[in-house]
Amino acid sequence: MATASTASRITRKIGIAVKKAVSRKKGWYDLHMAAASGAIAQRLPLVDLVAEIRDARIPLSSEYELLRDFPALSKRIVVMNKIDLADQTQVKGWMRYFEQQNCIPYGVNSHNKDSVKGLLNFIQAQVRGLCKANHHASETITIMLVGIPNVGKSALANSLHQMGRISAAEKGRLKHATVSPQPGETKDISSFKIGSHPNIYLLDTPGILPCMIHDAELCSKLVLTGAIRDGLIEQKELARYFLAILNLSDQYKKWAKFSANEDRLLSFIEHKEEGSISSKLEMRQKKQHMMDHTQDLIVNDVRGTIFDTISCFDGDIELEEDMIKLMEAELVALRDAFRVPQGLGEYVFNRVVGVKLLDLYRSGRLGHYTLDTLPLTLHHPL
């Protein structure tokens, strides 16, 4: 297994490249984000409760730094979203960590109805406790959702709004926050009702990042998980970063059953075509289907290709130069696994493979990873 220092060096190189790209191009912090920061800062002292949404893959790196300017805020809820994409063995440790930080933690998968329903019940219980403790006379409670870009605030706001309205048997038109895989789509602060008796309103806010990020490793993690928009760095470099993470884990060992899986796709196509005369349209649809990298057959072939490449590599990945050789070998082998057409040129090859590989990582199809490490002094309850 490669040393942590090898991974850190690769991570820092990616982060430095991102910072250089920001200095040459328009970065992540624009006038709109600056205006949103001011609007959020004005409203924060006025809300009854704050729910900070973090990415469970980067529980520390997805901190919403604007809250540091409000030390007088009472206990806040820290919602770790995307727990389905994180290393499940680490979730409980992070929950304990946030409890030790005087926060109220909760883990959720915003794409799972039962998980979101659990979060709604949890929020409503916190509101009842707040009203009881403070002898709250108001008939309306306001909760502000805050977080960095692309942690799932708007997706949670939509789901909580829909479920809250249904459980309260309320009629009327549902509101919808804009949801996108790209960061920065939420532009304004929007209000969503999620409960009655008392009335509970969520304020969905735009994602905010610091105007400057000095830590190169932090930059790398934010780009890889999608908090910083794609395009600041070549897709191949991000793909290499993910492969370094994968190579340092034991995830690939679970894919031994997909080894040497190349013949399965051919047999699948032959079986589908055997005994039938397909129209040109049907043939085109089949071809598009088999070029879709999210299809199980191709995903499994990607897994098998990665397993075979790592298993056959005879270098010492404790050495950075050997780790780089392994990553390059994987990127070349994945061209066939992803069915990238021949003759595209080296640059296009690498870009296509990089885009497809990152998509599978971000959707959890190539394993679940937590990129942050628990602080050593906080591994156990105090």
Side-chain angles (χ1 to χ4, degrees):
M1 186 63 64
T3 61
S5 60
T6 300
S8 294
R9 284 195 296 271
I10 294 171
T11 306
R12 281 195 296 272
K13 285 182 178 179
I14 298 293
I16 290 169
V18 172
K19 293 172 72 173
K20 287 182 178 178
V22 169
S23 67
R24 295 192 304 268
K25 307 175 185 178
K26 184 179 179 180
W28 56 78
Y29 195 86
D30 54 18
L31 292 176
H32 177 80
M33 193 174 285
S37 297
I40 293 170
Q42 287 182 340
R43 294 202 189 190
L44 267 173
L46 306 177
V47 301
D48 299 292
L49 196 60
V50 174
E52 180 187 2
I53 314 301
R54 297 205 188 188
D55 187 328
R57 296 169 297 177
I58 48 172
L60 282 183
S61 299
S62 55
E63 177 191 3
Y64 188 72
E65 291 193 10
L66 186 61
L67 291 182
R68 295 181 183 180
D69 297 332
F70 296 88
L73 283 177
S74 58
K75 272 192 174 183
R76 71 180 185 276
I77 299 173
V78 172
V79 178
M80 288 202 301
N81 191 23
K82 306 186 183 184
I83 57 170
D84 53 309
L85 302 180
D87 183 343
Q88 298 302 300
T89 64
Q90 297 190 35
V91 172
K92 288 184 178 179
W94 282 106
M95 297 283 277
R96 288 196 301 269
Y97 167 79
F98 287 120
E99 287 174 350
Q100 294 161 12
Q101 302 305 301
N102 201 33
C103 298
I104 308 167
Y106 194 89
V108 69
N109 171 6
S110 61
H111 298 292
N112 182 286
K113 288 185 178 180
D114 291 337
S115 183
V116 175
K117 179 64 175 177
L119 175 61
L120 176 64
N121 293 337
F122 176 79
I123 290 175
Q124 291 174 340
Q126 293 300 316
V127 168
R128 289 193 295 270
L130 179 68
C131 293
K132 184 177 180 180
N134 298 338
H135 305 288
H136 217 292
S138 174
E139 295 183 356
T140 300
I141 298 294
T142 305
I143 303 170
M144 180 177 279
L145 294 184
V146 298
I148 66 172
N150 214 16
V151 290
K153 296 183 301 299
S154 296
L156 282 172
N158 283 336
S159 297
L160 290 168
H161 174 54
Q162 182 178 19
M163 290 188 177
R165 292 287 297 274
I166 291 173
S167 63
E170 292 194 3
K171 298 180 180 180
R173 185 177 178 181
L174 286 171
K175 298 175 66 176
H176 293 280
T178 302
V179 177
S180 169
Q182 294 300 319
E185 289 300 313
T186 302
K187 304 296 185 183
D188 302 299
I189 299 176
S190 303
S191 175
F192 297 85
K193 189 175 182 180
I194 66 167
S196 302
H197 311 297
N199 294 323
I200 307 173
Y201 287 89
L202 282 182
L203 296 181
D204 180 33
T205 64
I208 304 294
L209 284 168
C211 58
M212 292 292 294
I213 300 176
H214 300 286
D215 188 321
E217 289 194 39
L218 175 57
C219 271
S220 297
K221 294 172 184 177
L222 293 175
V223 174
L224 183 63
T225 54
I228 293 177
R229 62 184 174 87
D230 291 337
L232 291 177
I233 188 172
E234 294 291 343
Q235 296 295 318
K236 177 185 176 182
E237 296 306 312
L238 280 181
R240 281 163 52 122
Y241 176 28
F242 165 64
L243 286 173
I245 294 169
L246 189 156
N247 293 341
L248 294 170
S249 74
D250 291 328
Q251 177 65 46
Y252 79 95
K253 296 179 181 178
K254 301 176 183 178
W255 300 335
K257 61 184 177 181
F258 304 120
S259 176
N261 198 28
E262 298 174 359
D263 293 335
R264 199 154 76 179
L265 179 64
L266 292 174
S267 64
F268 173 81
I269 294 175
E270 291 167 358
H271 173 74
K272 293 287 285 185
E273 294 179 352
E274 194 174 41
S276 66
I277 301 176
S278 300
S279 67
K280 290 183 178 180
L281 176 61
E282 289 172 334
M283 291 294 290
R284 187 181 302 114
Q285 289 173 338
K286 286 181 180 180
K287 184 176 180 181
Q288 290 173 344
H289 176 84
M290 298 319 300
M291 292 292 289
D292 181 358
H293 65 280
T294 65
Q295 296 297 320
D296 287 344
L297 277 170
I298 292 185
V299 173
N300 290 339
D301 203 17
V302 168
R303 293 166 176 166
T305 297
I306 293 173
F307 174 84
D308 289 339
T309 307
I310 297 175
S311 300
C312 295
F313 186 69
D314 59 1
D316 180 4
I317 60 174
E318 298 243 1
L319 301 175
E320 184 178 354
E321 61 181 49
D322 279 3
M323 170 65 87
I324 292 173
K325 288 179 182 177
L326 173 58
M327 292 189 293
E328 291 302 318
E330 289 169 319
L331 288 171
V332 171
L334 285 171
R335 295 176 184 180
D336 290 336
F338 281 124
R339 279 60 177 176
V340 181
Q342 298 296 317
L344 294 180
E346 192 72 14
Y347 174 81
V348 179
F349 263 133
N350 291 331
R351 177 171 176 77
V352 171
V353 170
V355 169
K356 292 176 181 289
L357 189 66
L358 287 174
D359 183 57
L360 293 185
Y361 156 68
R362 288 171 176 169
S363 61
R365 305 294 297 278
L366 295 179
H368 305 150
Y369 307 87
T370 300
L371 308 185
D372 287 338
T373 303
L374 271 169
L376 291 175
T377 56
L378 293 168
H379 277 170
H380 304 286
L382 295 177

